[in-house]
Amino acid sequence: MFDFSAAAAHLPLLLQYIAEVCCIHLGPEKRYLVEARLGTVIGETGVKDIPAFIAIARADTSGRLRDKIIDAMTTNETLWFRDQRPWDSFERHLFPEYAAELASGRRNRIRVLCAACSTGQEPYSFAMLLDEAASSGRLPGLAPAAFEILAFDISPAALLLASNGRYNQIEMGRGLDAKWKTRYFKETTPGVWQLDEKIRRMVTFRRRNLQDELAGLGQFDLVMCRNVLIYFKDEFKRDLLERLGAIIPTGGLLLLGGSEPLFTHQHLFSQEMIGTTIFYKRKPSTPLP
Amino acid sequence: MKILAVDDSRIVRRLVGAAAAVIGAECGEAGEGGEALRLLEADPEGYSLVCLDWNMPGMDGISFLRALRADPRWKTLPVLMLTAVADRESVLAAIKAGATAYMPKPFNETDLQAKMLDCLGLGFD
């Protein structure tokens, strides 16, 4: 393991480098986090100090070491159906609305985006909820085929796991009720659960960085960007929200994490309580004077 | 894709097997280095990664690693050391002996999966 206590003087350099490649801004009080996540990555390179580590990371033109740093720093804990409330709001309010619009022909497609999806629990939760609501027959018009669910993340390893749709016992235990487990998963190897192929195919995964231009992904009726903003500096948050605003058409919805209330960007979004959840609704674009 | 779990603990071998299954690989098992070399000999190109314990009865991890690297067939086969010994000197010794990466014990399955993918150079673009 790399000895961080001897490298404390160089910690700011490492934090700066992490901010540069991952866009995550951490203060020196987060040494434990850096230590836990990058300790082995640094140790494996055999370097004696942090400047040497940064030098070899910069010199690695293959980008492999940079990807390792990104994977280690950005792969976050993720849960199935995280925070119950938004899922209730989808089921009771948004799905009926989408169903009515699809049935009446006012719309023929609903596009959903999950930003920073990690290993896929959030987009798959949405897909399961949708499939279950559609097959119950309660909402004629709610056709899963009319939905396009796109999810992106920066970590190649997380995306590979997400697209496999296979989860271990620890991951299955995080927020997944027996109802969903029985209906949509099969234990293929002891301790390994495979997601139903139909649900797996409902979600498309892409590799994208939150720093990237998102406009190329198209427009989305619903964007989930939950528990992501908390990691970033105000300046980056502002920029990201502007870019999210650009991919949500008038009336489209943005969902943030429960602990991330949005007080800025009133030119782009208005707060809207749907069921028991606060969503941010895209306002009409102001015409240029 | 096949991964070889070399560990005297059945529990660790099972954890490696489950992590392998999640990333879409099969898993062979050996309880010590000599048995692992015999499995490799029987199928020299069959494995994409070795997950290796350090302290085992019979041939230990470092001796196995040296034997592996001395054979041109397995010079570049990725080896992930799973070890409770994680001080800087030991890690450097393992890297010098040819380990690709290491993972301090105890670890959880999710971290192990990520590490395996990293060693295999697998990702998603």
Side-chain angles (χ1 to χ4, degrees), chain A residues 81-91 125-126 129:
Chain A
F81 298 97
R82 183 170 191 167
D83 309 329
Q84 189 51 48
R85 288 196 286 195
W87 306 99
D88 288 341
S89 299
F90 291 150
E91 197 179 5
S125 296
F126 188 89
L129 191 75

Side-chain angles (χ1 to χ4, degrees), chain A residues 1-2 39-40 43-44 46-48 64 68 156-157 159-161 163-164 166-171 189 192 205-207, chain B residues 18 21-24 86-88 91-92 95 100-102 104 108-110 113-115 117-119 121-125:
Chain A
M1 198 77 171
F2 185 72
T40 60
E44 281 158 17
V47 294
K48 62 176 194 322
R64 284 272 294 131
K68 270 192 194 191
L159 285 167
L160 184 119
L161 294 170
S163 59
N164 278 350
R166 255 178 251 124
Y167 296 92
N168 66 40
Q169 217 139 13
I170 306 172
E171 292 153 351
T189 307
V192 179
F205 293 96
R206 293 249 189 285
R207 187 172 184 200
Chain B
V22 170
I23 67 171
D87 62 282
R88 186 171 150 77
V91 168
L92 281 177
I95 300 291
T100 313
Y102 75 97
N108 75 43
E109 289 160 82
T110 305
Q113 283 157 208
K115 204 75 191 177
L117 286 172
D118 178 36
C119 288
L122 289 181
F124 182 103
D125 271 310

